[in-house]
Amino acid sequence: AQSVSQHNHHVILSEAASLELGCNYSYGGTVNLFWYVQYPGQHLQLLLKYFSGDPLVKGIKGFEAEFIKSKFSFNLRKPSVQWSDTAEYFCAVNAGRRALTFGSGTRLQVQP
Amino acid sequence: GAGVSQSPSNKVTEKGKDVELRCDPISGHTALYWYRQRLGQGLEFLIYFQGNSAPDKSGLPSDRFSAERTGESVSTLTIQRTQQEDSAVYLCASSPLPEGFGGELFFGEGSRLTVL
């Protein structure tokens, strides 16, 4: 069965710090990879996705993620975080025709 | 409406009662998902509907859980004889593409269920 691991459960950063959130998945075949974000009081929304092609994908608000097939990883990065990036971030994988599987989430707190 | 609509937004019930949660997907979206999110945990897949195909029920945790969807419209998730471990936020999402095609899921704001 496919699974997704997010290693950091709670991350606290100061504004302008760089961010990297880890995501690893377990599935050997072709995968679609996603990062979703949930801002306080809002619903989940798509941040970025990898479907095929360039393994470095760029999303909204300056976020990017790199798909490294050999490491089964899809880490999320942002060079300089802002207070408004405070949210919960979920990595998700869709393999074959199975429903999207989500990680347990990483809560990011950015201090001004 | 413009987004996925779920009701009720909050539901408090007593152990043993049945509850029904409703989801209105985005018009034209053929795929509809139900997920459950327990406190401090990730999203747990429950059930998936795609058009008029048989639903994927592989995520339903027990036979107390069931869901229906008529065509490409409203879906209801029913939990019978609720237990305290059913307390969670139940999220509905719809997508314009079938699963496996990399389509974005559009989520509702969820129904928070508390079983006393």
PDB file of all heavy atoms in Angstrom, chain B residues 22-54:
ATOM      1  N   ARG B  22     -23.404  16.027   4.769  1.00  0.00           N
ATOM      2  CA  ARG B  22     -23.740  16.311   3.376  1.00  0.00           C
ATOM      3  C   ARG B  22     -22.611  17.055   2.690  1.00  0.00           C
ATOM      4  O   ARG B  22     -21.937  17.893   3.303  1.00  0.00           O
ATOM      5  CB  ARG B  22     -25.015  17.147   3.343  1.00  0.00           C
ATOM      6  CG  ARG B  22     -25.448  17.622   1.963  1.00  0.00           C
ATOM      7  CD  ARG B  22     -26.608  18.595   2.060  1.00  0.00           C
ATOM      8  NE  ARG B  22     -26.859  19.247   0.790  1.00  0.00           N
ATOM      9  CZ  ARG B  22     -27.897  18.937  -0.003  1.00  0.00           C
ATOM     10  NH1 ARG B  22     -28.764  18.002   0.361  1.00  0.00           N
ATOM     11  NH2 ARG B  22     -28.074  19.575  -1.133  1.00  0.00           N
ATOM     12  N   CYS B  23     -22.448  16.763   1.411  1.00  0.00           N
ATOM     13  CA  CYS B  23     -21.435  17.443   0.597  1.00  0.00           C
ATOM     14  C   CYS B  23     -22.028  17.835  -0.749  1.00  0.00           C
ATOM     15  O   CYS B  23     -22.577  16.991  -1.456  1.00  0.00           O
ATOM     16  CB  CYS B  23     -20.233  16.539   0.382  1.00  0.00           C
ATOM     17  SG  CYS B  23     -19.005  17.213  -0.778  1.00  0.00           S
ATOM     18  N   ASP B  24     -21.880  19.107  -1.081  1.00  0.00           N
ATOM     19  CA  ASP B  24     -22.265  19.634  -2.393  1.00  0.00           C
ATOM     20  C   ASP B  24     -20.991  19.924  -3.179  1.00  0.00           C
ATOM     21  O   ASP B  24     -20.294  20.890  -2.869  1.00  0.00           O
ATOM     22  CB  ASP B  24     -23.046  20.944  -2.227  1.00  0.00           C
ATOM     23  CG  ASP B  24     -24.512  20.748  -2.381  1.00  0.00           C
ATOM     24  OD1 ASP B  24     -24.928  20.366  -3.493  1.00  0.00           O
ATOM     25  OD2 ASP B  24     -25.237  20.981  -1.406  1.00  0.00           O
ATOM     26  N   PRO B  25     -20.657  19.122  -4.182  1.00  0.00           N
ATOM     27  CA  PRO B  25     -19.401  19.356  -4.899  1.00  0.00           C
ATOM     28  C   PRO B  25     -19.528  20.536  -5.850  1.00  0.00           C
ATOM     29  O   PRO B  25     -20.616  21.082  -6.059  1.00  0.00           O
ATOM     30  CB  PRO B  25     -19.222  18.050  -5.681  1.00  0.00           C
ATOM     31  CG  PRO B  25     -20.627  17.608  -5.961  1.00  0.00           C
ATOM     32  CD  PRO B  25     -21.410  17.996  -4.730  1.00  0.00           C
ATOM     33  N   ILE B  26     -18.413  20.905  -6.437  1.00  0.00           N
ATOM     34  CA  ILE B  26     -18.415  21.940  -7.466  1.00  0.00           C
ATOM     35  C   ILE B  26     -19.132  21.380  -8.694  1.00  0.00           C
ATOM     36  O   ILE B  26     -18.890  20.232  -9.094  1.00  0.00           O
ATOM     37  CB  ILE B  26     -16.981  22.365  -7.799  1.00  0.00           C
ATOM     38  CG1 ILE B  26     -16.362  23.061  -6.580  1.00  0.00           C
ATOM     39  CG2 ILE B  26     -16.949  23.275  -9.015  1.00  0.00           C
ATOM     40  CD1 ILE B  26     -14.883  23.373  -6.720  1.00  0.00           C
ATOM     41  N   SER B  27     -19.990  22.183  -9.265  1.00  0.00           N
ATOM     42  CA  SER B  27     -20.762  21.751 -10.419  1.00  0.00           C
ATOM     43  C   SER B  27     -19.851  21.295 -11.552  1.00  0.00           C
ATOM     44  O   SER B  27     -18.879  21.980 -11.906  1.00  0.00           O
ATOM     45  CB  SER B  27     -21.644  22.906 -10.905  1.00  0.00           C
ATOM     46  OG  SER B  27     -22.371  22.527 -12.048  1.00  0.00           O
ATOM     47  N   GLY B  28     -20.139  20.113 -12.100  1.00  0.00           N
ATOM     48  CA  GLY B  28     -19.346  19.597 -13.216  1.00  0.00           C
ATOM     49  C   GLY B  28     -18.198  18.693 -12.789  1.00  0.00           C
ATOM     50  O   GLY B  28     -17.584  18.029 -13.629  1.00  0.00           O
ATOM     51  N   HIS B  29     -17.906  18.663 -11.495  1.00  0.00           N
ATOM     52  CA  HIS B  29     -16.836  17.776 -11.026  1.00  0.00           C
ATOM     53  C   HIS B  29     -17.372  16.352 -10.920  1.00  0.00           C
ATOM     54  O   HIS B  29     -18.339  16.084 -10.214  1.00  0.00           O
ATOM     55  CB  HIS B  29     -16.321  18.239  -9.660  1.00  0.00           C
ATOM     56  CG  HIS B  29     -15.390  19.395  -9.745  1.00  0.00           C
ATOM     57  ND1 HIS B  29     -14.587  19.779  -8.694  1.00  0.00           N
ATOM     58  CD2 HIS B  29     -15.111  20.250 -10.764  1.00  0.00           C
ATOM     59  CE1 HIS B  29     -13.843  20.813  -9.072  1.00  0.00           C
ATOM     60  NE2 HIS B  29     -14.161  21.122 -10.313  1.00  0.00           N
ATOM     61  N   THR B  30     -16.687  15.446 -11.634  1.00  0.00           N
ATOM     62  CA  THR B  30     -17.173  14.067 -11.668  1.00  0.00           C
ATOM     63  C   THR B  30     -16.684  13.249 -10.479  1.00  0.00           C
ATOM     64  O   THR B  30     -17.300  12.279 -10.093  1.00  0.00           O
ATOM     65  CB  THR B  30     -16.717  13.378 -12.966  1.00  0.00           C
ATOM     66  OG1 THR B  30     -15.277  13.436 -13.036  1.00  0.00           O
ATOM     67  CG2 THR B  30     -17.299  14.085 -14.184  1.00  0.00           C
ATOM     68  N   ALA B  31     -15.551  13.626  -9.923  1.00  0.00           N
ATOM     69  CA  ALA B  31     -14.967  12.850  -8.823  1.00  0.00           C
ATOM     70  C   ALA B  31     -15.301  13.499  -7.485  1.00  0.00           C
ATOM     71  O   ALA B  31     -15.246  14.719  -7.342  1.00  0.00           O
ATOM     72  CB  ALA B  31     -13.451  12.759  -8.988  1.00  0.00           C
ATOM     73  N   LEU B  32     -15.631  12.670  -6.517  1.00  0.00           N
ATOM     74  CA  LEU B  32     -15.941  13.154  -5.171  1.00  0.00           C
ATOM     75  C   LEU B  32     -15.321  12.216  -4.155  1.00  0.00           C
ATOM     76  O   LEU B  32     -15.408  10.994  -4.285  1.00  0.00           O
ATOM     77  CB  LEU B  32     -17.468  13.232  -4.973  1.00  0.00           C
ATOM     78  CG  LEU B  32     -17.934  13.870  -3.653  1.00  0.00           C
ATOM     79  CD1 LEU B  32     -19.246  14.646  -3.873  1.00  0.00           C
ATOM     80  CD2 LEU B  32     -18.082  12.859  -2.556  1.00  0.00           C
ATOM     81  N   TYR B  33     -14.684  12.801  -3.155  1.00  0.00           N
ATOM     82  CA  TYR B  33     -13.965  12.043  -2.139  1.00  0.00           C
ATOM     83  C   TYR B  33     -14.486  12.425  -0.757  1.00  0.00           C
ATOM     84  O   TYR B  33     -14.812  13.587  -0.503  1.00  0.00           O
ATOM     85  CB  TYR B  33     -12.463  12.378  -2.154  1.00  0.00           C
ATOM     86  CG  TYR B  33     -11.752  12.131  -3.452  1.00  0.00           C
ATOM     87  CD1 TYR B  33     -11.898  12.989  -4.540  1.00  0.00           C
ATOM     88  CD2 TYR B  33     -10.888  11.048  -3.588  1.00  0.00           C
ATOM     89  CE1 TYR B  33     -11.226  12.771  -5.723  1.00  0.00           C
ATOM     90  CE2 TYR B  33     -10.198  10.822  -4.770  1.00  0.00           C
ATOM     91  CZ  TYR B  33     -10.366  11.687  -5.838  1.00  0.00           C
ATOM     92  OH  TYR B  33      -9.695  11.466  -7.007  1.00  0.00           O
ATOM     93  N   TRP B  34     -14.428  11.475   0.155  1.00  0.00           N
ATOM     94  CA  TRP B  34     -14.598  11.745   1.582  1.00  0.00           C
ATOM     95  C   TRP B  34     -13.307  11.323   2.293  1.00  0.00           C
ATOM     96  O   TRP B  34     -12.787  10.221   2.067  1.00  0.00           O
ATOM     97  CB  TRP B  34     -15.770  10.958   2.168  1.00  0.00           C
ATOM     98  CG  TRP B  34     -17.126  11.518   1.851  1.00  0.00           C
ATOM     99  CD1 TRP B  34     -17.984  11.121   0.868  1.00  0.00           C
ATOM    100  CD2 TRP B  34     -17.804  12.564   2.549  1.00  0.00           C
ATOM    101  NE1 TRP B  34     -19.140  11.850   0.907  1.00  0.00           N
ATOM    102  CE2 TRP B  34     -19.061  12.747   1.935  1.00  0.00           C
ATOM    103  CE3 TRP B  34     -17.483  13.369   3.648  1.00  0.00           C
ATOM    104  CZ2 TRP B  34     -19.997  13.697   2.369  1.00  0.00           C
ATOM    105  CZ3 TRP B  34     -18.395  14.301   4.069  1.00  0.00           C
ATOM    106  CH2 TRP B  34     -19.647  14.461   3.445  1.00  0.00           C
ATOM    107  N   TYR B  35     -12.839  12.214   3.149  1.00  0.00           N
ATOM    108  CA  TYR B  35     -11.687  11.940   3.999  1.00  0.00           C
ATOM    109  C   TYR B  35     -12.073  12.232   5.447  1.00  0.00           C
ATOM    110  O   TYR B  35     -12.987  13.004   5.716  1.00  0.00           O
ATOM    111  CB  TYR B  35     -10.485  12.827   3.628  1.00  0.00           C
ATOM    112  CG  TYR B  35      -9.760  12.428   2.370  1.00  0.00           C
ATOM    113  CD1 TYR B  35     -10.181  12.886   1.120  1.00  0.00           C
ATOM    114  CD2 TYR B  35      -8.635  11.607   2.425  1.00  0.00           C
ATOM    115  CE1 TYR B  35      -9.498  12.522  -0.041  1.00  0.00           C
ATOM    116  CE2 TYR B  35      -7.950  11.245   1.265  1.00  0.00           C
ATOM    117  CZ  TYR B  35      -8.392  11.706   0.045  1.00  0.00           C
ATOM    118  OH  TYR B  35      -7.719  11.347  -1.096  1.00  0.00           O
ATOM    119  N   ARG B  36     -11.317  11.635   6.354  1.00  0.00           N
ATOM    120  CA  ARG B  36     -11.514  11.900   7.772  1.00  0.00           C
ATOM    121  C   ARG B  36     -10.180  12.385   8.348  1.00  0.00           C
ATOM    122  O   ARG B  36      -9.125  11.839   8.019  1.00  0.00           O
ATOM    123  CB  ARG B  36     -11.966  10.618   8.489  1.00  0.00           C
ATOM    124  CG  ARG B  36     -12.080  10.752   9.990  1.00  0.00           C
ATOM    125  CD  ARG B  36     -12.754   9.546  10.602  1.00  0.00           C
ATOM    126  NE  ARG B  36     -11.934   8.350  10.601  1.00  0.00           N
ATOM    127  CZ  ARG B  36     -12.309   7.196  11.153  1.00  0.00           C
ATOM    128  NH1 ARG B  36     -13.492   7.111  11.732  1.00  0.00           N
ATOM    129  NH2 ARG B  36     -11.507   6.146  11.128  1.00  0.00           N
ATOM    130  N   GLN B  37     -10.268  13.384   9.203  1.00  0.00           N
ATOM    131  CA  GLN B  37      -9.057  13.902   9.838  1.00  0.00           C
ATOM    132  C   GLN B  37      -9.272  13.940  11.338  1.00  0.00           C
ATOM    133  O   GLN B  37     -10.026  14.774  11.843  1.00  0.00           O
ATOM    134  CB  GLN B  37      -8.707  15.297   9.317  1.00  0.00           C
ATOM    135  CG  GLN B  37      -7.381  15.823   9.856  1.00  0.00           C
ATOM    136  CD  GLN B  37      -7.019  17.169   9.275  1.00  0.00           C
ATOM    137  OE1 GLN B  37      -7.864  17.921   8.796  1.00  0.00           O
ATOM    138  NE2 GLN B  37      -5.730  17.486   9.300  1.00  0.00           N
ATOM    139  N   ARG B  38      -8.620  13.015  12.020  1.00  0.00           N
ATOM    140  CA  ARG B  38      -8.673  13.016  13.472  1.00  0.00           C
ATOM    141  C   ARG B  38      -7.672  14.034  13.995  1.00  0.00           C
ATOM    142  O   ARG B  38      -6.694  14.369  13.334  1.00  0.00           O
ATOM    143  CB  ARG B  38      -8.362  11.631  14.019  1.00  0.00           C
ATOM    144  CG  ARG B  38      -9.475  10.630  13.782  1.00  0.00           C
ATOM    145  CD  ARG B  38      -9.079   9.301  14.316  1.00  0.00           C
ATOM    146  NE  ARG B  38     -10.202   8.396  14.396  1.00  0.00           N
ATOM    147  CZ  ARG B  38     -10.118   7.096  14.137  1.00  0.00           C
ATOM    148  NH1 ARG B  38      -8.974   6.588  13.754  1.00  0.00           N
ATOM    149  NH2 ARG B  38     -11.166   6.321  14.249  1.00  0.00           N
ATOM    150  N   LEU B  39      -7.875  14.482  15.217  1.00  0.00           N
ATOM    151  CA  LEU B  39      -7.041  15.519  15.803  1.00  0.00           C
ATOM    152  C   LEU B  39      -5.574  15.113  15.750  1.00  0.00           C
ATOM    153  O   LEU B  39      -5.197  14.037  16.219  1.00  0.00           O
ATOM    154  CB  LEU B  39      -7.491  15.774  17.242  1.00  0.00           C
ATOM    155  CG  LEU B  39      -6.841  16.963  17.939  1.00  0.00           C
ATOM    156  CD1 LEU B  39      -7.247  18.260  17.243  1.00  0.00           C
ATOM    157  CD2 LEU B  39      -7.245  17.017  19.406  1.00  0.00           C
ATOM    158  N   GLY B  40      -4.756  15.968  15.165  1.00  0.00           N
ATOM    159  CA  GLY B  40      -3.320  15.734  15.128  1.00  0.00           C
ATOM    160  C   GLY B  40      -2.860  14.708  14.124  1.00  0.00           C
ATOM    161  O   GLY B  40      -1.684  14.335  14.109  1.00  0.00           O
ATOM    162  N   GLN B  41      -3.768  14.250  13.283  1.00  0.00           N
ATOM    163  CA  GLN B  41      -3.411  13.225  12.306  1.00  0.00           C
ATOM    164  C   GLN B  41      -3.647  13.717  10.892  1.00  0.00           C
ATOM    165  O   GLN B  41      -4.250  14.764  10.669  1.00  0.00           O
ATOM    166  CB  GLN B  41      -4.206  11.951  12.586  1.00  0.00           C
ATOM    167  CG  GLN B  41      -3.938  11.353  13.957  1.00  0.00           C
ATOM    168  CD  GLN B  41      -4.637  10.035  14.157  1.00  0.00           C
ATOM    169  OE1 GLN B  41      -4.973   9.350  13.194  1.00  0.00           O
ATOM    170  NE2 GLN B  41      -4.856   9.671  15.404  1.00  0.00           N
ATOM    171  N   GLY B  42      -3.161  12.945   9.945  1.00  0.00           N
ATOM    172  CA  GLY B  42      -3.351  13.290   8.546  1.00  0.00           C
ATOM    173  C   GLY B  42      -4.736  12.935   8.068  1.00  0.00           C
ATOM    174  O   GLY B  42      -5.599  12.519   8.832  1.00  0.00           O
ATOM    175  N   LEU B  43      -4.943  13.097   6.779  1.00  0.00           N
ATOM    176  CA  LEU B  43      -6.235  12.797   6.182  1.00  0.00           C
ATOM    177  C   LEU B  43      -6.310  11.312   5.860  1.00  0.00           C
ATOM    178  O   LEU B  43      -5.433  10.753   5.213  1.00  0.00           O
ATOM    179  CB  LEU B  43      -6.433  13.610   4.903  1.00  0.00           C
ATOM    180  CG  LEU B  43      -6.913  15.039   5.077  1.00  0.00           C
ATOM    181  CD1 LEU B  43      -5.851  15.915   5.686  1.00  0.00           C
ATOM    182  CD2 LEU B  43      -7.381  15.615   3.747  1.00  0.00           C
ATOM    183  N   GLU B  44      -7.392  10.706   6.287  1.00  0.00           N
ATOM    184  CA  GLU B  44      -7.616   9.278   6.081  1.00  0.00           C
ATOM    185  C   GLU B  44      -8.691   9.101   5.020  1.00  0.00           C
ATOM    186  O   GLU B  44      -9.825   9.559   5.182  1.00  0.00           O
ATOM    187  CB  GLU B  44      -8.059   8.661   7.411  1.00  0.00           C
ATOM    188  CG  GLU B  44      -8.413   7.198   7.373  1.00  0.00           C
ATOM    189  CD  GLU B  44      -9.000   6.730   8.705  1.00  0.00           C
ATOM    190  OE1 GLU B  44      -9.116   7.564   9.639  1.00  0.00           O
ATOM    191  OE2 GLU B  44      -9.341   5.554   8.808  1.00  0.00           O
ATOM    192  N   PHE B  45      -8.355   8.455   3.922  1.00  0.00           N
ATOM    193  CA  PHE B  45      -9.297   8.238   2.829  1.00  0.00           C
ATOM    194  C   PHE B  45     -10.441   7.338   3.278  1.00  0.00           C
ATOM    195  O   PHE B  45     -10.223   6.317   3.935  1.00  0.00           O
ATOM    196  CB  PHE B  45      -8.567   7.603   1.644  1.00  0.00           C
ATOM    197  CG  PHE B  45      -9.477   7.039   0.592  1.00  0.00           C
ATOM    198  CD1 PHE B  45     -10.198   7.892  -0.236  1.00  0.00           C
ATOM    199  CD2 PHE B  45      -9.620   5.676   0.434  1.00  0.00           C
ATOM    200  CE1 PHE B  45     -11.044   7.373  -1.202  1.00  0.00           C
ATOM    201  CE2 PHE B  45     -10.453   5.154  -0.535  1.00  0.00           C
ATOM    202  CZ  PHE B  45     -11.170   5.997  -1.354  1.00  0.00           C
ATOM    203  N   LEU B  46     -11.656   7.708   2.926  1.00  0.00           N
ATOM    204  CA  LEU B  46     -12.830   6.909   3.256  1.00  0.00           C
ATOM    205  C   LEU B  46     -13.449   6.282   2.014  1.00  0.00           C
ATOM    206  O   LEU B  46     -13.586   5.072   1.916  1.00  0.00           O
ATOM    207  CB  LEU B  46     -13.867   7.764   3.984  1.00  0.00           C
ATOM    208  CG  LEU B  46     -13.450   8.339   5.344  1.00  0.00           C
ATOM    209  CD1 LEU B  46     -14.562   9.225   5.911  1.00  0.00           C
ATOM    210  CD2 LEU B  46     -13.088   7.229   6.317  1.00  0.00           C
ATOM    211  N   ILE B  47     -13.853   7.135   1.058  1.00  0.00           N
ATOM    212  CA  ILE B  47     -14.592   6.624  -0.090  1.00  0.00           C
ATOM    213  C   ILE B  47     -14.429   7.586  -1.259  1.00  0.00           C
ATOM    214  O   ILE B  47     -14.219   8.789  -1.068  1.00  0.00           O
ATOM    215  CB  ILE B  47     -16.079   6.416   0.262  1.00  0.00           C
ATOM    216  CG1 ILE B  47     -16.831   5.680  -0.864  1.00  0.00           C
ATOM    217  CG2 ILE B  47     -16.751   7.736   0.589  1.00  0.00           C
ATOM    218  CD1 ILE B  47     -18.217   5.194  -0.442  1.00  0.00           C
ATOM    219  N   TYR B  48     -14.535   7.037  -2.468  1.00  0.00           N
ATOM    220  CA  TYR B  48     -14.351   7.821  -3.690  1.00  0.00           C
ATOM    221  C   TYR B  48     -15.467   7.469  -4.674  1.00  0.00           C
ATOM    222  O   TYR B  48     -15.744   6.295  -4.915  1.00  0.00           O
ATOM    223  CB  TYR B  48     -12.974   7.506  -4.279  1.00  0.00           C
ATOM    224  CG  TYR B  48     -12.776   7.858  -5.731  1.00  0.00           C
ATOM    225  CD1 TYR B  48     -12.709   9.188  -6.142  1.00  0.00           C
ATOM    226  CD2 TYR B  48     -12.637   6.862  -6.697  1.00  0.00           C
ATOM    227  CE1 TYR B  48     -12.508   9.508  -7.474  1.00  0.00           C
ATOM    228  CE2 TYR B  48     -12.432   7.180  -8.030  1.00  0.00           C
ATOM    229  CZ  TYR B  48     -12.367   8.497  -8.412  1.00  0.00           C
ATOM    230  OH  TYR B  48     -12.166   8.821  -9.733  1.00  0.00           O
ATOM    231  N   PHE B  49     -16.081   8.494  -5.245  1.00  0.00           N
ATOM    232  CA  PHE B  49     -17.091   8.334  -6.285  1.00  0.00           C
ATOM    233  C   PHE B  49     -16.563   8.928  -7.590  1.00  0.00           C
ATOM    234  O   PHE B  49     -15.975  10.007  -7.588  1.00  0.00           O
ATOM    235  CB  PHE B  49     -18.381   9.082  -5.919  1.00  0.00           C
ATOM    236  CG  PHE B  49     -19.092   8.561  -4.714  1.00  0.00           C
ATOM    237  CD1 PHE B  49     -18.819   9.069  -3.454  1.00  0.00           C
ATOM    238  CD2 PHE B  49     -20.054   7.567  -4.836  1.00  0.00           C
ATOM    239  CE1 PHE B  49     -19.484   8.598  -2.333  1.00  0.00           C
ATOM    240  CE2 PHE B  49     -20.731   7.090  -3.720  1.00  0.00           C
ATOM    241  CZ  PHE B  49     -20.439   7.608  -2.466  1.00  0.00           C
ATOM    242  N   GLN B  50     -16.773   8.232  -8.691  1.00  0.00           N
ATOM    243  CA  GLN B  50     -16.401   8.748 -10.004  1.00  0.00           C
ATOM    244  C   GLN B  50     -17.575   8.515 -10.946  1.00  0.00           C
ATOM    245  O   GLN B  50     -17.838   7.376 -11.354  1.00  0.00           O
ATOM    246  CB  GLN B  50     -15.144   8.061 -10.537  1.00  0.00           C
ATOM    247  CG  GLN B  50     -14.791   8.413 -11.974  1.00  0.00           C
ATOM    248  CD  GLN B  50     -14.624   9.894 -12.219  1.00  0.00           C
ATOM    249  OE1 GLN B  50     -14.005  10.592 -11.430  1.00  0.00           O
ATOM    250  NE2 GLN B  50     -15.196  10.392 -13.307  1.00  0.00           N
ATOM    251  N   GLY B  51     -18.264   9.589 -11.279  1.00  0.00           N
ATOM    252  CA  GLY B  51     -19.381   9.504 -12.200  1.00  0.00           C
ATOM    253  C   GLY B  51     -20.389   8.467 -11.739  1.00  0.00           C
ATOM    254  O   GLY B  51     -20.800   8.443 -10.584  1.00  0.00           O
ATOM    255  N   ASN B  52     -20.772   7.589 -12.663  1.00  0.00           N
ATOM    256  CA  ASN B  52     -21.742   6.548 -12.364  1.00  0.00           C
ATOM    257  C   ASN B  52     -21.086   5.200 -12.072  1.00  0.00           C
ATOM    258  O   ASN B  52     -21.783   4.181 -11.974  1.00  0.00           O
ATOM    259  CB  ASN B  52     -22.726   6.401 -13.527  1.00  0.00           C
ATOM    260  CG  ASN B  52     -23.606   7.636 -13.673  1.00  0.00           C
ATOM    261  OD1 ASN B  52     -24.106   8.154 -12.683  1.00  0.00           O
ATOM    262  ND2 ASN B  52     -23.771   8.110 -14.896  1.00  0.00           N
ATOM    263  N   SER B  53     -19.755   5.208 -11.930  1.00  0.00           N
ATOM    264  CA  SER B  53     -19.050   3.959 -11.637  1.00  0.00           C
ATOM    265  C   SER B  53     -19.291   3.534 -10.190  1.00  0.00           C
ATOM    266  O   SER B  53     -19.666   4.354  -9.346  1.00  0.00           O
ATOM    267  CB  SER B  53     -17.547   4.133 -11.863  1.00  0.00           C
ATOM    268  OG  SER B  53     -17.285   4.541 -13.182  1.00  0.00           O
ATOM    269  N   ALA B  54     -19.051   2.251  -9.919  1.00  0.00           N
ATOM    270  CA  ALA B  54     -19.162   1.763  -8.538  1.00  0.00           C
ATOM    271  C   ALA B  54     -18.137   2.493  -7.674  1.00  0.00           C
ATOM    272  O   ALA B  54     -16.980   2.643  -8.058  1.00  0.00           O
ATOM    273  CB  ALA B  54     -18.918   0.263  -8.494  1.00  0.00           C
TER     274      ALA B  54
END
